[in-house]
Amino acid sequence: MSSTPLTLTDTRTITPEGVHEGWVQLENGRVAELGTGEPPRGSVHDMGGRWVAPGLVDTHVHGGAGHGFPDADPEGARAVTAHNRSQGVTSMVGGLVAASPEDTLRQVSVLADLCDEGELAGIYLEGPFIARRRCGAHDPELLRDPDTAEFDRWLEAGRGHVRMITVAPELPGALELIRAASSSGVVAAVGHTEATYEETVAAFDAGARVATHLYNAMRPLGHRDPGPIAAALGDGRVSVELILDLVHVHPGAAQVVLDAVGPERLSLVTDAMNATGLGDGEYTLGGLRVRVSDGEARVVETGSIASSTIVLPQAVRNAVEHLGMATPDAVRSASSAPAAAVGLPGVGRVEPGAPADLVVLDEELVVTEVVHRGAFVE
């Protein structure tokens, strides 16, 4: 964290209120002031009219750069955050997949240490309380029914850092677990599910507030059987995740989501795995073999899509190019919207008092510079 004031001049800064053209001053790791005209004296960095956006926030990511959060390896996890940070993702919620009760506790404990260090913004458990038929890249042998006692053990191991869990609402005990999560300050998400429309509505009424990577690993939308997709799109309380890598969801289907929920309820996520940044080959995710070909990851044994291999700025570019989103809206869907969905106040926003985590984008929305805690990332 830099204590020397730094002023970024000639910016188009994306703020919660709109686009600010002028300068932004950073001090003590925070945004100090936004203004126009003559900038304050001190260290000045000319942005040349480029976009200055809040650092992106990935709330659903499992790994990258050859490492995965489920590995419970602190150095590997730091490599994942460093890889993402270098590309403009300054806040990450470390995602776990289904594992045994013992392994899950160990993983949560290790990630909690990284949260204490400020490397991660929280912990996300995508399994094990999900449906076998919609397990995707989770080992079906490790899935189990929702258990509030096990959830309580996660909370203890997580020391306040468990941020979100995914639950299939149709499973026995699901609504009780959703209520327990909500009362504990943990966001409950609906996903990897065979739930009907009515079962999904009941989950949202019980306190669930996120739909996990909409369309993927869930009962499909039917005109007489609308399922969880219609329930999520129609509920203004719910934030909707979308993996916009152009593999998981067709742009036409993504457009339906955007038209229904708007940028403030849309959370762009990557669901990225350890292969991200490394190219094609064979990898593992939660003990399952995954083959990556032309950037598309699939479970070897089943052919199911297994995570993505993109970093979040690519989703922003895809949103602008393929969905016609305005750049500020696409950025907010990858910063302030996901941060708000998982309860990270002040994160993903450029305003006085907010963390000085910024990403500089050129006209093609390619990341040119990153600021983390008030200092440029080398």
Side-chain angles (χ1 to χ4, degrees), residues 57-59 81 90-94 111 114-115 118-123 160-163 342-344 347:
V57 181
D58 199 341
T59 56
T81 58
T90 55
S91 297
M92 303 175 66
V93 176
L111 294 192
L114 292 161
C115 293
E119 282 292 310
L120 290 174
I123 303 166
H161 296 299
V162 175
R163 189 63 61 180
V342 300
L344 296 172
V347 175

Side-chain angles (χ1 to χ4, degrees), residues 146-196:
D147 182 344
T148 56
E150 183 173 1
F151 172 71
D152 288 341
R153 291 191 288 274
W154 298 349
L155 292 184
E156 183 177 359
R159 304 192 306 277
H161 296 299
V162 175
R163 189 63 61 180
M164 183 167 66
I165 62 171
T166 288
V167 183
E170 73 276 17
L171 296 179
L175 296 186
E176 181 183 0
L177 182 67
I178 289 170
R179 294 187 188 99
S182 299
S183 65
S184 301
V186 175
V187 176
V190 168
H192 286 274
T193 177
E194 272 289 302
T196 64

Side-chain angles (χ1 to χ4, degrees), residues 267-280:
S267 289
L268 296 178
V269 299
T270 64
D271 193 21
M273 61 174 291
N274 55 3
T276 303
L278 297 185
D280 292 351

Side-chain angles (χ1 to χ4, degrees), residues 137 273 281-285 288-292 297-300 306:
M273 61 174 291
E282 191 164 303
Y283 303 86
T284 59
L285 177 65
L288 298 181
R289 293 168 58 221
V290 175
R291 183 173 295 119
V292 178
R298 290 187 177 271
V299 177
V300 172

